[in-house]
Amino acid sequence: MAFSSELRFSSMECPPLPCLSGIEALKQVTKRYARKQNRWVKNRFLSRPGPGVPPVYGLEVSDTSKWEESVLEPALEIVQSFIQGQKPAAAPVKMPSNETENKRSYHMCDLCDRIIIGDREWAAHVKSKSHLHQLKKRRLDSDAITTIESQSISPDRDEELEEKGSLGQNDEELKSSI
């Protein structure tokens, strides 16, 4: 037991430095995990609620001294009302929605070969990992094709075009057509 001597300290003396740094690291990781959980709940249940998504209730958890009255009792009341088939007294958390968004709009993502209905769902799809992965994959494929095409033109042909001046002419024609 290498750590047993370090972990033994009375409440009157200060804990050793490695213990304090470990406690601080644990607090930091716990806060990061809590933020990640909140972001997941917000994205999964509040941003794009579907027919199978249960209501989400917010409880005041900042004051730990009042935990029983501000968290435990309201949570038990909400659960009890669901068990009894009644509507809870507390109101579920709602995300602010844009009144101008069209919930019935039809979007076709050719990249992912999907049909998306609704403006909010479309915005979420465009930001999703699967769509961004397909976009990156398409860009890599097009870059590879461009590289292969540029390598297939022989350097002798480029020199001939430069001598005739037609290489520069083509560039000017392309710029003017754009």
Side-chain angles (χ1 to χ4, degrees), residues 133-148:
H133 175 72
Q134 292 293 334
L135 189 62
K136 184 177 179 182
K137 190 174 167 183
R138 174 84 48 103
R139 283 184 187 152
L140 289 175
D141 289 346
S142 66
D143 288 346
I145 291 170
T146 306
T147 305
I148 291 170

Side-chain angles (χ1 to χ4, degrees), residues 1 18 21 28 37 47 51 71 85 94-95 108 113-114 125 131 138 143 148 164 168:
M1 287 273 238
S21 63
Q28 185 179 20
Q37 281 183 320
S47 294
V71 177
K94 296 281 185 192
M95 286 293 288
M108 176 66 186
D113 194 30
R114 290 186 179 173
H125 171 73
H131 181 79
R138 174 84 48 103
D143 288 346
I148 291 170
K164 292 179 182 176

Side-chain angles (χ1 to χ4, degrees), residues 52-146:
V53 176
V56 177
Y57 295 88
L59 302 172
E60 179 58 46
V61 296
S62 59
D63 189 6
T64 57
S65 63
K66 298 179 181 178
W67 190 82
E68 282 192 19
E69 61 195 41
S70 63
V71 177
L72 182 61
E73 291 172 8
L76 290 175
E77 288 174 11
I78 291 169
V79 171
Q80 192 66 22
S81 65
F82 273 118
I83 291 172
Q84 295 173 354
Q86 300 171 352
K87 187 173 180 174
V93 176
K94 296 281 185 192
M95 286 293 288
S97 62
N98 187 357
E99 297 297 326
T100 61
E101 77 179 18
N102 187 352
K103 295 179 182 176
R104 303 259 187 235
S105 63
Y106 176 91
H107 301 277
M108 176 66 186
C109 181
D110 295 328
L111 193 63
C112 301
D113 194 30
R114 290 186 179 173
I115 297 171
I116 313 293
I117 297 175
D119 291 340
R120 185 182 294 179
E121 286 77 10
W122 175 251
H125 171 73
V126 170
K127 294 177 185 176
S128 70
K129 285 183 182 179
S130 62
H131 181 79
L132 295 175
H133 175 72
Q134 292 293 334
L135 189 62
K136 184 177 179 182
K137 190 174 167 183
R138 174 84 48 103
R139 283 184 187 152
L140 289 175
D141 289 346
S142 66
D143 288 346
I145 291 170
T146 306

